[in-house]
Amino acid sequence: MRRSLLLLTAATTALVLTALLVPLTLLTRSHAADRATAEATARAQWVAHALGPVLATADERETAEQTVESVNGKDLPGTSLILADGRVIGPRTTAHGSAVTDPVRLARTGRAFTYETSSGGRLVLVPVQGAKDGTAVVQVTLSERQLYAGTLASWLVLAGIGVGLVLVGLLLADRLGARLVGATRRLARTADRLAAGDLTARAEPEGPPELRLIAGELNRLASRIDELLTAERENAADLAHRLRTPVAALRLDAETLSDPDEAHRIAADVTALERSVDDVIRKARRPLREAPRADLAAVARERTAFWAPLAEDQNRSVRTATPDREIPVPVPADELAAALDALIGNVLDHTPHGTAFSLTVRRTPDGQAELTVADEGPGFPDPGAAPGRGTSGAGSTGLGLDIARRTAEEAGGTFTTGAATPESEPTPSRPEPTPGRTGSGHRPDPSPGPDPSSGPGPGPGARVTLAFPLALTPPPPLTPPRAHPAETPSVPPAPTC
């Protein structure tokens, strides 16, 4: 738009200046010729007036020669006196032939006039009355260069004025174009922010009336979208809250069943339903204006410390290897914590007591954040594929791994499973359990689980890896992931009384 406006202004200014300057150049040429002719006529008349008394006597030829010589000089028009007998005093106009030409004969009749020659110059002829031997003629010769002297300088001045006007027009057009383009680009940036979910973005009305109108309508659209989304999210949250009552009733009904296995199965299904309802409420209440962002390393340390008391009760050793610096990922902290709870809960529920596991957070060479949870249990039946959603071989709902998978994929990352290799996950030393230790805050109820002595021995292990893209804000320089000192398991939280 800006370039088009500049081109349009340049073309329009050039056309206008051409229409004005062409007549001006012709006028300056004509004016220069008229001025030179007028000066030559005045010169010829002065010479004729001065030589009239001199030519009345025959012995004043020397005086006439001096008078003619005094009006001739370098770069001056050639002035000559043609006597009645054909003799010429001063420069001759023709190199050969008689100086008495038809214009001279016409001037001898007593007429003063200007005559244009074929070479492009002009002759000014003025008769001298009172000469003794007949009428003499004063002839002033103007060459083409002398006739149009000063025309080039006038043309250069006009050209300079034209170029200056074009530059001024381009400057004004550029300022106007910058204003229009700047206002348009700011409108586009506001629209991009709205498209990215920032419903607080508003356009500043500026520029011409049309752009101000568009800015106002864009602001109205953003406000309306914000109102509709708020109402929709409130309705979703209200609906989820209403579901809690029948879910609580289902839990009470499940507890009254006489068959313990059936009661346990239905209770597990109700628990999964409660998690889904809570997830709906949490997502509905989360502001859209805030870009999701969480520190993967900090969340991993916090959730490992949360589960450490239960792991200690089950005689498990836990190793946590996380970097000291922040690793920001585009995932809400609560969803990231839910995914970690699901992975750690699977290890605690589906591996024999005493099975060690580890949690590692690192930044990969390709610029991603990677979370790995590995154990030394029996592993997956198919190491290359985790159980599908709702599929479990241990009587659970089978939703834990699916929660972790959706958390990674919704953030643009990947979810992979496999066998834990001894090279990638070394077995840490097992600490002695501390009697009577409890975790701070809410603590999951320790399930009795299988007896370590009766469970299966160490297997290939299971490894679950979540890869996330880094958040848009560049993190500070990271140090390589390192384990806790001496590769010792993470210490459980301090006991509370």
Side-chain angles (χ1 to χ4, degrees):
M1 179 179 178
R2 189 172 179 180
R3 180 179 298 178
S4 301
L5 187 59
L6 289 175
L7 292 176
L8 177 62
T9 303
T12 304
T13 308
L15 290 175
V16 173
L17 289 177
T18 300
L20 292 176
L21 293 180
V22 169
L24 284 177
T25 55
L26 298 177
L27 182 61
T28 54
R29 178 182 174 89
S30 175
H31 178 70
D34 292 343
R35 185 184 66 251
T37 303
E39 292 177 355
T41 302
R43 182 186 300 271
Q45 291 175 348
W46 181 84
V47 172
H49 179 73
L51 293 180
V54 174
L55 296 179
T57 57
D59 55 353
E60 295 295 333
R61 179 182 175 83
E62 183 177 354
T63 303
E65 292 177 353
Q66 292 176 354
T67 302
V68 173
E69 184 179 358
S70 65
V71 296
N72 285 305
K74 185 178 180 181
D75 296 332
L76 293 177
T79 302
S80 58
L81 177 63
I82 303 174
L83 300 175
D85 56 2
R87 290 178 299 170
V88 178
I89 300 175
R92 293 178 60 91
T93 58
T94 57
H96 304 284
S98 174
V100 181
T101 59
D102 292 337
V104 173
R105 295 188 186 95
L106 181 60
R108 285 177 176 176
T109 62
R111 297 176 58 185
F113 60 93
T114 301
Y115 172 71
E116 293 186 2
T117 63
S118 58
S119 60
R122 286 186 183 181
L123 298 178
V124 178
L125 298 101
V126 176
V128 181
Q129 302 294 336
K132 182 180 179 180
D133 298 332
T135 303
V137 177
V138 176
Q139 177 178 283
V140 179
T141 304
L142 292 170
S143 64
E144 187 176 8
R145 182 179 63 83
Q146 294 170 340
L147 184 63
Y148 300 111
T151 301
L152 180 60
S154 300
W155 287 357
L156 292 177
V157 171
L158 291 175
I161 293 174
V163 172
L165 291 176
V166 170
L167 293 178
V168 171
L170 290 178
L171 179 61
L172 294 177
D174 181 71
R175 292 301 87 202
L176 178 60
R179 183 185 177 193
L180 294 176
V181 172
T184 305
R185 288 178 176 173
R186 282 186 285 274
L187 277 176
R189 285 195 294 267
T190 301
D192 290 339
R193 289 174 58 192
L194 290 173
D198 183 8
L199 298 183
T200 61
R202 293 295 183 272
E204 183 69 24
E206 57 181 337
E210 292 78 8
L211 290 182
R212 291 198 296 269
L213 177 61
I214 294 175
E217 294 300 321
L218 183 62
N219 292 339
R220 286 184 53 203
L221 176 62
S223 300
R224 185 56 179 162
I225 292 175
D226 194 7
E227 294 173 1
L228 293 176
L229 285 178
T230 301
E232 182 179 355
R233 293 165 71 83
E234 289 296 334
N235 290 335
D238 292 342
L239 178 61
H241 276 292
R242 292 180 188 145
L243 289 175
R244 281 185 171 176
T245 300
V247 169
L250 286 176
R251 177 179 290 278
L252 293 176
D253 292 340
E255 292 176 354
T256 60
L257 294 177
S258 58
D259 188 350
D261 294 336
E262 189 70 14
H264 178 72
R265 183 182 63 81
I266 296 178
D269 293 339
V270 173
T271 301
L273 181 58
E274 286 180 334
R275 289 180 181 176
S276 299
V277 171
D278 291 339
D279 185 60
V280 171
I281 296 175
R282 185 171 58 250
K283 289 184 177 180
R285 294 297 186 185
R286 184 185 309 127
L288 287 177
R289 302 183 184 96
E290 299 177 0
R293 191 174 186 271
D295 181 4
L296 180 60
V299 173
R301 288 192 292 266
E302 189 270 333
R303 300 318 297 168
T304 304
F306 174 80
W307 289 96
L310 181 58
E312 184 179 348
D313 288 344
Q314 296 182 1
N315 196 28
R316 300 175 186 271
S317 62
V318 183
R319 184 175 65 87
T320 304
T322 59
D324 294 334
R325 299 292 182 88
E326 179 187 18
I327 299 186
V329 293
V331 182
D334 53 355
E335 291 190 9
L336 193 58
L340 273 169
D341 289 344
L343 295 179
I344 297 176
N346 276 347
V347 175
L348 298 178
D349 293 340
H350 303 301
T351 60
H353 285 199
T355 301
F357 68 93
S358 64
L359 190 146
T360 305
V361 175
R362 70 186 186 96
R363 184 175 181 179
T364 62
D366 57 353
Q368 287 190 326
E370 188 176 270
L371 167 67
T372 302
V373 177
D375 62 65
E376 299 176 2
F380 296 112
D382 182 2
R389 178 180 177 88
T391 303
S392 174
S396 65
T397 60
L399 299 178
L401 292 178
D402 187 70
I403 292 174
R405 178 188 61 79
R406 286 189 294 108
T407 301
E409 292 180 353
E410 287 177 0
T414 57
F415 170 84
T416 56
T417 60
T421 60
E423 292 78 12
S424 61
E425 300 293 338
T427 303
S429 59
R430 181 170 299 140
E432 294 296 330
T434 303
R437 177 170 299 208
T438 58
S440 60
H442 172 73
R443 173 181 169 184
D445 295 332
S447 59
D451 187 357
S453 61
S454 61
R463 174 177 51 82
V464 178
T465 302
L466 305 181
F468 300 94
L470 294 176
L472 295 179
T473 304
L478 299 176
T479 57
R482 64 179 181 84
H484 290 277
E487 294 292 333
T488 58
S490 59
V491 179
T496 59
C497 297

